[in-house]
Amino acid sequence: MSQAHEKTETPISRKIVENEAEIKKRLGFGTSFDVGIRTFTILDKHVQMYFVNGLCDIQFIIELLKELMDLDARGRKTETTNVKMAIRNHLPHVQVEYSDTLEDSITKMLSGLVFIVIEGEDQAIVIDVRSYPGRGPEEPDTERVVRGSRDGYTENIILNTALTRRRIRDESLRNEIMQVGERSKTDVCISYIDGIADPKMVEILKKELEAINIDGISMADKIVEEYLVKQGYNPFPLVRYTERPDVAANHLLEGHVLIMVDTSPSVIITPTTFFHHVQHAEEYRQAPMIGTFLRWTRFIGIMFSLLILPFWLLLVMQPTLLPAALDFIGPNETNNIPVFLQIIFAELGIELLRMAAIHTPSPLATALGLVAALLIGEIAIQVGYFTPEVILYVAIGAIGMFATPSYELGVALRATRMFLILAVAIFKAPGFIIGTTLFILVLAAIRTFAKPYLWPFLPFDPAAMWHILVRSTVPSVRFRPRIVHPQDPIKQKSE
């Protein structure tokens, strides 16, 4: 059991002075400038309102204070006796509730709510007036589409759940929220459709989240992922991330479970397989034939990017494997640097350029591209550091990886490609064969929440595999994927 559950909770005292002393001690009043208190009197009762600047909508607080001050004037004329009920009934807000402990009240206050304590009452009144700073919904940079919605998830968990519910107006959609982190108390939401999602899967995720015992999850969803899937040193992604509400809503309707973490614009989709990471929303925004063409182009690009460099290096090291018609493959001229080292240096250069592009301000990105193309590429060939074929195949490999919809899968495949290059450089043809076989065996051995990673290829499911290879028309897809064990397997009823 976590330390948070072992702590004793402090009930709210009927003496407002005691509450004030304890709250000020815990929150560091006088040291922290962003915590505030407003003290006033209503019907001869001392009342205090606690809030955090920057997380609350100040206009809402002003309206609340106006109403409470008017209540004091009106209440004296009518001789109101139940002050707590009078205050609650005169709060012009839709979300008002009670809290019995200081810990619960302070946690909600630090989440952006305000709470009111009243002299002689052992309950606090909590009002949700939070207004988190952040940006509006924008199209995600890594999941752009030619046709489709331009909104995307933000760092605000309340807005994210609203974006999802806007697309699924089903009374069975559940958004269960809990707090993770002993000190950060970060809001984490589990979203699923009751009656479709596997209840065992939902229960497993709840237990895993409740078992997290850490000071804080400042890196948000990534820390949650590592606790949920226990990935270890496996480079392949075991959950899928998306910043598109339409993609998330589609997975909910299939029976998947979403995990949203406050302060993160990415939503975790689980359970997922390898093939979930190679699909893109653009395929479903085009005609089925065009979507299939895009999907196969992406598949071929990913396979080429993974295998073309190791295979070309093998042919360079063992030219006897080449038939006479393909003897033009390979460097026409040699230099002092072995081809293997040229590939390693070029791969590292591409990776450094990718990192530099991430950290380069947007106005300088074009200049960085020109430097990379002219200085590093052309001049390096002229000087003799690289042969043109090395630059060609490294560029093809990089393009294929950038075409991978999942950034996490693209990085994992880059690491796998480096492993295959090393295997070929050391063992030549046996290294390529054994390395590729090991790659497939590792993928086949991975389980994510007891689900086979290569489903529907291994174990083979013909109907599901057909939907992976071909973008089927929506009216023809009647059943939800069996891999998620949906309670209601029928997606649309036949006429």
Side-chain angles (χ1 to χ4, degrees), residues 93-169:
H93 203 279
V94 294
Q95 288 184 298
V96 180
E97 59 185 16
Y98 290 123
S99 177
D100 298 317
T101 63
L102 286 179
E103 286 78 10
D104 181 56
S105 301
I106 292 174
T107 297
K108 290 180 177 178
M109 167 193 166
L110 296 175
S111 299
L113 291 77
V114 300
F115 71 92
I116 298 173
V117 291
I118 306 167
E119 179 70 36
E121 300 292 343
D122 60 357
Q123 285 184 316
I125 302 176
V126 182
I127 310 105
D128 189 350
V129 294
R130 69 184 119 190
S131 178
Y132 292 151
R135 58 188 175 89
E138 301 172 355
E139 185 177 15
D141 290 333
T142 57
E143 296 179 90
R144 292 184 178 275
V145 294
V146 178
R147 293 282 184 268
S149 59
R150 304 298 178 189
D151 58 347
Y153 287 125
T154 69
E155 291 76 14
N156 188 333
I157 192 172
I158 305 300
L159 183 57
N160 291 346
T161 55
L163 287 171
T164 306
R165 193 172 286 277
R166 182 184 178 190
R167 288 166 168 81
I168 303 179
R169 300 174 181 176

Coordinates of all heavy atoms in Angstrom, one line a residue, residues 93-169:
H93 N -22.8 28.7 -9.2 CA -21.9 27.8 -10.0 C -22.5 26.4 -10.0 O -23.3 26.0 -9.2 CB -20.5 27.7 -9.3 CG -19.4 27.3 -10.2 ND1 -19.1 26.0 -10.6 CD2 -18.5 28.1 -10.9 CE1 -18.1 26.0 -11.4 NE2 -17.7 27.2 -11.6
V94 N -22.1 25.6 -11.1 CA -22.8 24.3 -11.3 C -22.1 23.2 -10.5 O -22.7 22.2 -10.3 CB -22.8 24.0 -12.8 CG1 -23.6 25.0 -13.6 CG2 -21.3 24.0 -13.4
Q95 N -20.8 23.4 -10.1 CA -20.1 22.3 -9.4 C -19.8 22.8 -8.0 O -18.8 23.5 -7.8 CB -18.9 21.9 -10.2 CG -19.2 21.1 -11.5 CD -17.9 20.6 -12.2 OE1 -17.1 21.4 -12.6 NE2 -17.8 19.3 -12.3
V96 N -20.6 22.3 -7.1 CA -20.4 22.7 -5.7 C -20.6 21.4 -4.9 O -21.5 20.6 -5.1 CB -21.4 23.7 -5.2 CG1 -21.2 24.0 -3.7 CG2 -21.3 25.0 -6.0
E97 N -19.6 21.1 -4.0 CA -19.7 19.9 -3.2 C -19.1 20.1 -1.8 O -18.5 21.2 -1.6 CB -19.0 18.7 -3.9 CG -17.5 19.0 -4.2 CD -16.8 17.9 -5.0 OE1 -17.6 17.1 -5.5 OE2 -15.6 17.9 -5.0
Y98 N -19.2 19.2 -0.9 CA -18.6 19.3 0.4 C -17.3 18.5 0.5 O -17.1 17.5 -0.2 CB -19.6 18.8 1.5 CG -20.8 19.6 1.7 CD1 -22.1 19.1 1.5 CD2 -20.7 21.0 2.0 CE1 -23.2 20.0 1.7 CE2 -21.8 21.8 2.2 CZ -23.0 21.3 2.1 OH -24.1 22.1 2.2
S99 N -16.5 18.9 1.5 CA -15.3 18.1 1.8 C -15.1 18.0 3.3 O -15.4 19.0 4.0 CB -14.0 18.8 1.2 OG -12.9 18.1 1.6
D100 N -14.7 16.9 3.8 CA -14.7 16.6 5.2 C -13.3 16.7 5.8 O -13.2 16.8 7.1 CB -15.3 15.2 5.5 CG -16.7 15.1 5.1 OD1 -17.5 16.0 5.4 OD2 -17.1 14.1 4.5
T101 N -12.3 16.7 5.0 CA -10.9 16.7 5.6 C -10.1 17.9 5.0 O -10.4 18.3 3.9 CB -10.2 15.4 5.3 OG1 -10.0 15.2 3.9 CG2 -11.0 14.2 5.8
L102 N -9.1 18.3 5.7 CA -8.2 19.3 5.2 C -7.4 18.8 4.0 O -7.1 19.6 3.1 CB -7.2 19.8 6.3 CG -7.8 20.6 7.4 CD1 -6.8 21.0 8.5 CD2 -8.4 21.9 6.9
E103 N -6.9 17.5 4.1 CA -6.1 17.0 3.0 C -6.9 17.1 1.7 O -6.4 17.5 0.6 CB -5.7 15.6 3.3 CG -4.6 15.4 4.3 CD -5.1 15.6 5.7 OE1 -6.4 15.6 5.9 OE2 -4.3 15.7 6.7
D104 N -8.1 16.6 1.7 CA -8.9 16.6 0.5 C -9.2 18.1 0.0 O -9.1 18.4 -1.2 CB -10.3 15.9 0.7 CG -11.1 15.9 -0.5 OD1 -10.7 15.4 -1.5 OD2 -12.3 16.3 -0.4
S105 N -9.5 19.0 0.9 CA -9.7 20.4 0.5 C -8.5 21.0 -0.1 O -8.6 21.7 -1.1 CB -10.2 21.2 1.8 OG -11.4 20.6 2.3
I106 N -7.3 20.8 0.6 CA -6.1 21.4 0.0 C -5.7 20.8 -1.3 O -5.3 21.6 -2.2 CB -5.0 21.2 1.1 CG1 -5.3 22.1 2.3 CG2 -3.6 21.6 0.5 CD1 -4.3 21.8 3.5
T107 N -5.9 19.5 -1.5 CA -5.6 18.9 -2.8 C -6.4 19.5 -3.9 O -5.9 19.8 -5.0 CB -5.8 17.4 -2.7 OG1 -4.9 16.8 -1.7 CG2 -5.5 16.7 -4.0
K108 N -7.7 19.7 -3.6 CA -8.6 20.2 -4.6 C -8.2 21.7 -4.9 O -8.3 22.2 -6.0 CB -10.0 20.1 -4.2 CG -10.5 18.7 -4.2 CD -12.0 18.5 -3.8 CE -12.4 17.1 -3.9 NZ -13.8 16.9 -3.4
M109 N -7.8 22.4 -3.8 CA -7.4 23.8 -4.0 C -6.2 23.9 -4.9 O -6.1 24.7 -5.8 CB -7.2 24.4 -2.6 CG -6.4 25.8 -2.7 SD -5.8 26.2 -1.1 CE -4.7 27.5 -1.5
L110 N -5.2 23.0 -4.7 CA -4.0 23.0 -5.5 C -4.3 22.5 -6.9 O -3.4 22.6 -7.8 CB -3.0 22.1 -4.8 CG -2.5 22.6 -3.5 CD1 -1.5 21.7 -2.8 CD2 -1.8 24.0 -3.6
S111 N -5.5 21.9 -7.2 CA -5.9 21.5 -8.5 C -6.6 22.7 -9.2 O -7.0 22.5 -10.4 CB -6.8 20.3 -8.4 OG -6.1 19.2 -7.9
G112 N -6.8 23.8 -8.5 CA -7.5 24.9 -9.2 C -8.9 25.2 -8.7 O -9.5 26.2 -9.1
L113 N -9.4 24.4 -7.7 CA -10.7 24.7 -7.1 C -10.5 25.7 -5.9 O -9.4 25.9 -5.5 CB -11.4 23.4 -6.6 CG -11.8 22.5 -7.7 CD1 -10.7 21.7 -8.3 CD2 -12.9 21.5 -7.2
V114 N -11.6 26.2 -5.4 CA -11.5 27.0 -4.2 C -12.4 26.3 -3.1 O -13.3 25.6 -3.5 CB -12.0 28.4 -4.4 CG1 -11.2 29.1 -5.4 CG2 -13.5 28.5 -4.8
F115 N -12.0 26.5 -1.9 CA -12.9 25.9 -0.8 C -13.1 27.0 0.3 O -12.3 27.9 0.5 CB -12.3 24.6 -0.2 CG -11.1 24.8 0.6 CD1 -11.2 25.0 2.0 CD2 -9.8 24.8 0.1 CE1 -10.1 25.1 2.8 CE2 -8.7 24.9 0.8 CZ -8.8 25.1 2.2
I116 N -14.3 26.9 0.9 CA -14.8 27.8 1.9 C -15.0 27.1 3.2 O -15.6 26.0 3.2 CB -16.1 28.5 1.4 CG1 -15.9 29.3 0.1 CG2 -16.7 29.4 2.5 CD1 -17.2 29.8 -0.5
V117 N -14.4 27.6 4.2 CA -14.6 27.1 5.6 C -15.4 28.1 6.4 O -15.3 29.3 6.2 CB -13.3 26.8 6.3 CG1 -12.6 25.6 5.7 CG2 -12.4 28.0 6.3
I118 N -16.3 27.6 7.2 CA -17.3 28.5 8.0 C -17.1 28.2 9.5 O -17.0 27.0 9.9 CB -18.7 28.2 7.5 CG1 -18.8 28.3 6.0 CG2 -19.7 29.1 8.2 CD1 -20.1 27.8 5.4
E119 N -17.1 29.2 10.2 CA -17.0 29.1 11.7 C -18.2 28.2 12.2 O -19.4 28.5 11.9 CB -17.1 30.4 12.4 CG -17.0 30.4 13.9 CD -15.7 30.0 14.4 OE1 -14.6 30.3 13.8 OE2 -15.6 29.3 15.4
G120 N -17.9 27.2 13.0 CA -18.9 26.3 13.6 C -19.3 25.1 12.7 O -20.1 24.3 13.1
E121 N -18.7 25.0 11.5 CA -19.0 23.9 10.6 C -17.8 23.0 10.4 O -16.7 23.5 10.3 CB -19.5 24.4 9.2 CG -20.7 25.4 9.2 CD -22.0 24.6 9.6 OE1 -22.0 23.4 9.5 OE2 -22.9 25.3 10.0
D122 N -18.1 21.7 10.3 CA -17.0 20.7 10.1 C -16.9 20.2 8.7 O -16.3 19.1 8.4 CB -17.2 19.5 11.1 CG -18.5 18.8 10.8 OD1 -19.3 19.3 10.0 OD2 -18.8 17.8 11.6
Q123 N -17.4 21.0 7.8 CA -17.3 20.6 6.3 C -16.9 21.9 5.6 O -17.4 23.0 5.9 CB -18.6 20.1 5.8 CG -18.9 18.6 6.2 CD -20.2 18.1 5.5 OE1 -21.2 18.8 5.4 NE2 -20.1 16.9 5.0
A124 N -16.1 21.7 4.5 CA -15.7 22.8 3.6 C -16.6 22.7 2.4 O -16.9 21.6 1.9 CB -14.3 22.8 3.3
I125 N -16.9 23.8 1.8 CA -17.6 23.9 0.5 C -16.6 24.1 -0.6 O -15.8 25.1 -0.5 CB -18.7 25.0 0.5 CG1 -19.7 24.8 1.7 CG2 -19.4 25.1 -0.8 CD1 -20.7 26.0 1.8
V126 N -16.6 23.2 -1.5 CA -15.6 23.2 -2.6 C -16.3 23.6 -3.9 O -17.3 23.1 -4.3 CB -14.9 21.9 -2.8 CG1 -13.9 21.9 -3.9 CG2 -14.3 21.4 -1.5
I127 N -15.7 24.6 -4.6 CA -16.3 25.1 -5.9 C -15.3 25.0 -7.0 O -14.1 25.4 -6.8 CB -16.8 26.6 -5.7 CG1 -17.6 26.8 -4.5 CG2 -17.5 27.0 -7.0 CD1 -17.0 27.5 -3.4
D128 N -15.7 24.4 -8.1 CA -14.8 24.2 -9.2 C -14.7 25.5 -10.1 O -15.6 25.7 -10.9 CB -15.2 23.0 -10.0 CG -14.2 22.6 -11.1 OD1 -13.2 23.4 -11.3 OD2 -14.3 21.5 -11.7
V129 N -13.7 26.3 -9.9 CA -13.6 27.5 -10.7 C -12.2 27.5 -11.4 O -11.7 28.5 -11.8 CB -13.7 28.8 -9.8 CG1 -15.0 28.9 -9.3 CG2 -12.6 28.8 -8.7
R130 N -11.7 26.3 -11.6 CA -10.3 26.2 -12.2 C -10.3 26.7 -13.7 O -11.3 26.5 -14.4 CB -9.8 24.8 -12.1 CG -10.5 23.8 -13.0 CD -10.0 22.4 -12.8 NE -11.0 21.5 -12.3 CZ -10.8 20.3 -11.8 NH1 -9.6 19.8 -11.7 NH2 -11.8 19.5 -11.4
S131 N -9.2 27.3 -14.0 CA -9.0 27.8 -15.4 C -7.5 27.6 -15.6 O -6.7 28.5 -15.4 CB -9.4 29.2 -15.5 OG -9.2 29.7 -16.8
Y132 N -7.1 26.5 -16.2 CA -5.7 26.2 -16.3 C -5.1 27.0 -17.5 O -5.7 27.2 -18.5 CB -5.5 24.7 -16.6 CG -5.8 23.8 -15.5 CD1 -6.3 22.5 -15.8 CD2 -5.7 24.2 -14.2 CE1 -6.5 21.6 -14.7 CE2 -6.0 23.3 -13.2 CZ -6.4 22.0 -13.4 OH -6.7 21.2 -12.4
P133 N -3.9 27.5 -17.3 CA -3.2 28.2 -18.4 C -2.8 27.2 -19.4 O -2.4 26.1 -19.1 CB -2.0 28.8 -17.7 CG -1.8 28.0 -16.5 CD -3.1 27.5 -16.0
G134 N -3.0 27.6 -20.7 CA -2.6 26.6 -21.8 C -3.0 27.1 -23.1 O -3.7 28.2 -23.2
R135 N -2.8 26.3 -24.1 CA -3.1 26.7 -25.5 C -4.4 26.0 -25.9 O -4.9 25.2 -25.2 CB -2.0 26.2 -26.4 CG -1.8 24.7 -26.4 CD -0.6 24.3 -27.2 NE -0.3 22.8 -27.0 CZ -0.8 21.9 -27.8 NH1 -1.6 22.2 -28.7 NH2 -0.5 20.6 -27.5
G136 N -5.0 26.5 -27.0 CA -6.2 25.9 -27.5 C -6.0 24.7 -28.3 O -4.8 24.4 -28.7
P137 N -7.0 24.0 -28.7 CA -6.8 22.8 -29.5 C -6.3 23.1 -30.9 O -6.8 24.0 -31.6 CB -8.3 22.2 -29.6 CG -9.0 22.8 -28.5 CD -8.4 24.2 -28.3
E138 N -5.2 22.5 -31.2 CA -4.5 22.7 -32.5 C -4.2 21.3 -33.1 O -4.1 20.3 -32.4 CB -3.2 23.5 -32.3 CG -3.4 24.9 -31.7 CD -2.1 25.5 -31.4 OE1 -1.0 24.9 -31.6 OE2 -2.1 26.7 -31.0
E139 N -4.0 21.3 -34.4 CA -3.7 20.0 -35.1 C -2.3 19.6 -34.7 O -1.3 20.3 -34.7 CB -3.7 20.2 -36.6 CG -3.5 18.9 -37.4 CD -3.6 19.0 -38.9 OE1 -3.6 20.2 -39.3 OE2 -3.8 18.0 -39.6
P140 N -2.2 18.3 -34.3 CA -0.8 17.8 -33.8 C 0.2 17.8 -35.0 O -0.2 17.5 -36.1 CB -1.1 16.4 -33.4 CG -2.6 16.3 -33.2 CD -3.2 17.3 -34.1
D141 N 1.4 18.2 -34.7 CA 2.4 18.3 -35.7 C 2.8 16.9 -36.3 O 3.1 16.7 -37.5 CB 3.7 18.9 -35.2 CG 3.5 20.4 -34.9 OD1 2.7 21.0 -35.6 OD2 4.2 20.9 -34.0
T142 N 2.7 15.8 -35.5 CA 3.1 14.5 -35.9 C 2.0 13.7 -36.5 O 2.2 12.6 -37.0 CB 3.7 13.7 -34.7 OG1 2.8 13.7 -33.7 CG2 5.0 14.4 -34.2
E143 N 0.8 14.2 -36.5 CA -0.4 13.4 -37.0 C -1.2 14.3 -38.0 O -2.5 14.3 -37.9 CB -1.2 12.9 -35.9 CG -0.5 11.9 -35.0 CD -1.4 11.4 -33.8 OE1 -2.1 10.4 -34.0 OE2 -1.4 12.1 -32.8
R144 N -0.6 15.0 -38.8 CA -1.3 15.9 -39.7 C -2.0 15.1 -40.8 O -1.5 14.0 -41.2 CB -0.4 16.9 -40.4 CG 0.2 17.9 -39.4 CD 1.0 19.0 -40.1 NE 1.5 20.0 -39.2 CZ 0.9 21.1 -38.8 NH1 -0.3 21.3 -39.3 NH2 1.4 21.9 -38.0
V145 N -3.2 15.6 -41.3 CA -3.9 15.0 -42.4 C -4.3 16.0 -43.4 O -4.4 17.2 -43.1 CB -5.2 14.3 -41.9 CG1 -4.8 13.1 -41.0 CG2 -6.1 15.2 -41.1
V146 N -4.5 15.6 -44.6 CA -4.9 16.5 -45.7 C -6.4 16.8 -45.5 O -6.8 18.0 -45.6 CB -4.7 15.9 -47.1 CG1 -5.2 16.8 -48.2 CG2 -3.2 15.6 -47.3
R147 N -7.2 15.8 -45.2 CA -8.6 16.0 -44.9 C -8.9 15.6 -43.5 O -8.4 14.5 -43.0 CB -9.4 15.1 -45.9 CG -9.4 15.6 -47.3 CD -10.3 16.8 -47.6 NE -10.2 17.2 -49.0 CZ -9.4 18.0 -49.5 NH1 -8.5 18.6 -48.8 NH2 -9.4 18.3 -50.8
G148 N -9.7 16.3 -42.8 CA -10.0 15.9 -41.4 C -10.0 17.1 -40.5 O -9.7 18.2 -40.8
S149 N -10.3 16.8 -39.2 CA -10.4 17.8 -38.2 C -9.1 18.4 -37.9 O -8.0 17.7 -38.0 CB -11.1 17.2 -36.9 OG -10.3 16.2 -36.5
R150 N -9.0 19.6 -37.5 CA -7.8 20.3 -37.1 C -7.6 20.5 -35.6 O -6.7 21.2 -35.2 CB -7.7 21.7 -37.8 CG -7.9 21.6 -39.3 CD -6.8 20.8 -40.0 NE -7.0 20.7 -41.5 CZ -6.3 19.9 -42.3 NH1 -5.4 19.2 -41.8 NH2 -6.6 19.9 -43.6
D151 N -8.5 19.9 -34.8 CA -8.3 20.1 -33.4 C -7.5 18.9 -32.8 O -7.4 17.8 -33.4 CB -9.7 20.1 -32.7 CG -10.5 18.9 -32.9 OD1 -10.2 18.1 -33.9 OD2 -11.5 18.7 -32.3
G152 N -6.9 19.1 -31.7 CA -6.0 18.1 -31.1 C -6.1 18.3 -29.6 O -6.5 19.3 -29.1
Y153 N -5.6 17.3 -28.9 CA -5.6 17.3 -27.5 C -4.6 18.4 -27.0 O -3.6 18.7 -27.7 CB -5.2 16.0 -26.9 CG -6.3 14.9 -27.0 CD1 -6.0 13.7 -27.6 CD2 -7.5 15.2 -26.4 CE1 -7.0 12.8 -27.7 CE2 -8.5 14.2 -26.5 CZ -8.3 13.0 -27.1 OH -9.3 12.1 -27.2
T154 N -4.9 18.9 -25.8 CA -4.0 19.9 -25.2 C -3.5 19.4 -23.8 O -3.7 18.2 -23.5 CB -4.7 21.2 -25.0 OG1 -5.7 21.1 -23.9 CG2 -5.4 21.7 -26.3
E155 N -2.8 20.3 -23.1 CA -2.3 19.9 -21.8 C -3.4 20.0 -20.7 O -3.1 19.7 -19.5 CB -1.1 20.8 -21.4 CG 0.1 20.6 -22.2 CD 0.0 21.2 -23.6 OE1 -0.9 22.0 -23.9 OE2 0.9 20.9 -24.5
N156 N -4.6 20.3 -21.0 CA -5.7 20.4 -20.1 C -6.6 19.2 -20.1 O -7.3 18.9 -21.1 CB -6.5 21.7 -20.4 CG -7.6 22.0 -19.4 OD1 -8.1 21.1 -18.7 ND2 -7.9 23.3 -19.3
I157 N -6.6 18.4 -19.0 CA -7.3 17.1 -19.0 C -8.8 17.3 -19.1 O -9.5 16.5 -19.7 CB -7.0 16.3 -17.8 CG1 -7.5 14.9 -17.9 CG2 -7.5 17.0 -16.5 CD1 -7.0 14.0 -16.8
I158 N -9.3 18.4 -18.6 CA -10.8 18.7 -18.7 C -11.2 19.0 -20.2 O -12.2 18.4 -20.6 CB -11.1 19.9 -17.8 CG1 -10.7 19.7 -16.4 CG2 -12.6 20.2 -17.9 CD1 -11.3 18.5 -15.7
L159 N -10.4 19.7 -20.9 CA -10.6 20.0 -22.3 C -10.5 18.7 -23.1 O -11.3 18.5 -24.0 CB -9.7 21.1 -22.8 CG -9.9 21.5 -24.2 CD1 -11.3 22.0 -24.5 CD2 -8.8 22.6 -24.6
N160 N -9.6 17.9 -22.7 CA -9.3 16.6 -23.5 C -10.5 15.7 -23.4 O -11.0 15.1 -24.4 CB -8.1 15.9 -23.0 CG -6.8 16.7 -23.4 OD1 -6.9 17.6 -24.2 ND2 -5.7 16.3 -22.8
T161 N -11.1 15.5 -22.2 CA -12.3 14.7 -22.0 C -13.4 15.3 -22.8 O -14.3 14.5 -23.3 CB -12.6 14.5 -20.5 OG1 -12.8 15.8 -19.9 CG2 -11.5 13.7 -19.8
A162 N -13.5 16.6 -22.8 CA -14.6 17.2 -23.6 C -14.5 17.0 -25.1 O -15.5 16.7 -25.8 CB -14.7 18.7 -23.3
L163 N -13.2 17.0 -25.6 CA -13.0 16.8 -27.0 C -13.4 15.3 -27.4 O -13.9 15.1 -28.5 CB -11.6 17.0 -27.4 CG -11.1 18.5 -27.4 CD1 -9.6 18.5 -27.5 CD2 -11.8 19.2 -28.5
T164 N -13.2 14.4 -26.5 CA -13.6 13.0 -26.7 C -15.1 12.9 -26.7 O -15.7 12.2 -27.5 CB -12.9 12.1 -25.7 OG1 -11.5 12.3 -25.8 CG2 -13.2 10.6 -26.1
R165 N -15.7 13.4 -25.6 CA -17.1 13.3 -25.5 C -17.9 14.0 -26.6 O -19.1 13.6 -26.9 CB -17.6 13.8 -24.1 CG -19.0 13.4 -23.7 CD -19.3 13.7 -22.3 NE -18.7 12.9 -21.3 CZ -19.1 11.7 -20.9 NH1 -20.2 11.2 -21.5 NH2 -18.5 11.0 -20.0
R166 N -17.3 15.0 -27.1 CA -18.0 15.6 -28.3 C -18.2 14.7 -29.4 O -19.2 14.8 -30.2 CB -17.2 16.8 -28.7 CG -17.8 17.6 -29.8 CD -16.9 18.7 -30.3 NE -17.5 19.5 -31.4 CZ -16.8 20.4 -32.1 NH1 -15.6 20.7 -31.8 NH2 -17.4 21.0 -33.1
R167 N -17.3 13.7 -29.6 CA -17.4 12.7 -30.7 C -18.1 11.5 -30.3 O -18.6 10.7 -31.2 CB -16.0 12.4 -31.1 CG -15.3 13.5 -31.9 CD -13.8 13.3 -32.0 NE -13.2 14.2 -33.0 CZ -12.9 15.5 -32.7 NH1 -13.1 15.9 -31.5 NH2 -12.4 16.2 -33.7
I168 N -18.3 11.2 -29.0 CA -19.0 10.0 -28.5 C -20.0 10.5 -27.5 O -19.7 10.6 -26.3 CB -18.0 9.0 -27.9 CG1 -17.0 8.6 -28.9 CG2 -18.8 7.7 -27.5 CD1 -16.0 7.6 -28.4
R169 N -21.2 10.7 -28.0 CA -22.3 11.2 -27.1 C -23.1 10.0 -26.6 O -24.3 9.9 -26.7 CB -23.2 12.2 -27.8 CG -22.4 13.4 -28.3 CD -23.3 14.3 -29.1 NE -22.5 15.5 -29.6 CZ -23.0 16.4 -30.4 NH1 -24.2 16.3 -30.9 NH2 -22.2 17.4 -30.8

